[in-house]
């Protein structure tokens, strides 16, 4: 793991965390073995299909709320548990859930955001593993005019975001017009607080 210098942040990067053959094998396992879903995003009050497929796996206590919905994770699978143990060892952080995203081609993407849901607590450690097509991962500071940071995330690459990174930076996977094969990304997370939908009970 090497550190990528980032003011107000803490980034670690291992471009070859998984060997190519192993990265291929996980990719095939996950394409078949994960229940991929079409999630929706709300833009200006209207629901739109997200430009990617997603899935949420983890331990039963790791539920969180999203647009007022309480989401229950699906139970861990063997390949996910294998990756979880290895990422916990390098990130030095216990994870209880993983968000998987599948970018089918260059039109699939993820817009600017921070992983700063209250359920993740302050200064969360997020371990992001990429498989398949290399895509550009961009970071921009929320308040300062620092140059944006670009990291190519190829098959088997691990990126760990820690400390104040989510408080100060946003990230995205932009669309591309270049020919672009499928990519998977897994972000292992630790849900610390149980997000409950608001109630008006006293
Ligand atoms: O696909 C990626 O590399 C980023 C995914 C991401 O930012 C997220 O799941 O929150
Ligand atoms: Mn994110």
């Amino acid at each position: 793991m090497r550190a990528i210098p980032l003011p107000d942040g803490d980034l670690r990067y291992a471009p070859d965390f998984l060997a190519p053959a192993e990265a291929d094998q996980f990719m095939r396992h996950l394409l078949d073995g994960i229940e991929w879903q079409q999630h929706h995003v709300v833009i200006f009050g209207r629901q739109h299909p997200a430009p990617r497929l997603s899935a949420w796996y983890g331990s039963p206590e790791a539920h969180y709320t999203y647009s007022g919905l309480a989401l229950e994770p699906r139970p861990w699978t063997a390949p996910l548990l294998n990756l979880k143990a290895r990422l916990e060892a390098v990130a030095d952080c216990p994870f209880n859930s993983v968000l998987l995203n599948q970018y089918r081609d260059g039109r699939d993407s993820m817009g600017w955001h921070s992983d700063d849901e209250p359920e993740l607590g302050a200064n969360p450690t997020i371990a992001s593993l990429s498989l398949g097509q290399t895509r550009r991962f961009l970071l921009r500071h929320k308040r300062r005019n620092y140059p944006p940071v670009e990291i190519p995330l190829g098959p088997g690459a691990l990126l760990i975001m820690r400390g104040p990174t989510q408080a100060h930076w946003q990230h995205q996977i932009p669309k591309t017009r270049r020919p672009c094969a499928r990519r998977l990304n897994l972000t292992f997370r630790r849900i610390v607080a149980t997000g409950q939908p608001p109630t008006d009970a006293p």
Side-chain angles (χ1 to χ4, degrees):
M1 290 253 86
R2 69 181 175 83
I4 296 185
L6 189 76
D8 299 337
D10 184 338
L11 281 186
R12 311 285 159 111
Y13 178 51
D16 303 311
F17 182 75
L18 296 181
E22 206 181 11
D24 267 11
Q25 206 177 11
F26 274 113
M27 174 102 181
R28 275 183 278 115
H29 264 315
L30 297 171
L31 278 173
D32 282 350
I34 293 295
E35 296 199 44
W36 294 99
Q37 297 188 322
Q38 176 69 68
H39 288 184
H40 289 80
V41 290
V42 178
I43 303 167
F44 296 121
R46 291 185 53 175
Q47 281 218 347
H48 299 266
R52 59 193 172 268
L53 301 178
S54 307
W56 172 245
Y57 280 70
S59 311
E61 83 276 5
H63 35 133
Y64 81 133
T65 52
Y66 179 73
S67 295
L69 292 174
L71 292 184
E72 288 288 333
R74 292 185 190 278
W76 292 110
T77 65
L80 290 179
L81 280 176
N82 173 317
L83 291 173
K84 170 170 120 73
R86 292 160 69 179
L87 296 188
E88 284 175 335
V90 288
D92 195 21
C93 172
F95 297 114
N96 58 12
S97 53
V98 60
L99 178 66
L100 298 99
N101 283 294
Q102 179 182 152
Y103 304 85
R104 293 158 289 189
D105 60 28
R107 287 168 296 191
D108 274 356
S109 61
M110 188 175 293
W112 289 113
H113 70 282
S114 304
D115 299 335
D116 58 359
E117 291 82 3
E119 289 85 348
L120 297 173
N123 297 333
T125 296
I126 312 272
S128 156
L129 184 74
S130 294
L131 300 169
Q133 174 75 49
T134 301
R135 296 283 296 259
R136 298 163 65 216
F137 181 85
L138 305 178
L139 293 122
R140 70 173 184 198
H141 198 281
K142 292 187 195 177
R143 281 166 298 271
R144 291 183 185 274
N145 208 5
Y146 293 139
V149 173
E150 173 168 344
I151 304 167
L153 293 181
L158 174 63
L159 181 73
I160 299 178
M161 298 183 272
R162 308 198 304 190
T165 308
Q166 304 302 328
H168 296 291
W169 293 82
Q170 293 183 319
H171 52 271
Q172 74 158 343
I173 298 284
K175 296 184 194 299
T176 173
R177 293 196 179 162
R178 300 218 187 121
C180 188
R182 213 172 280 272
R183 168 176 185 262
L184 303 185
N185 177 264
L186 291 74
T187 44
F188 286 80
R189 299 150 183 256
R190 188 154 84 98
I191 303 289
V192 289
T194 315
Q196 292 293 347
T199 66
D200 40 38

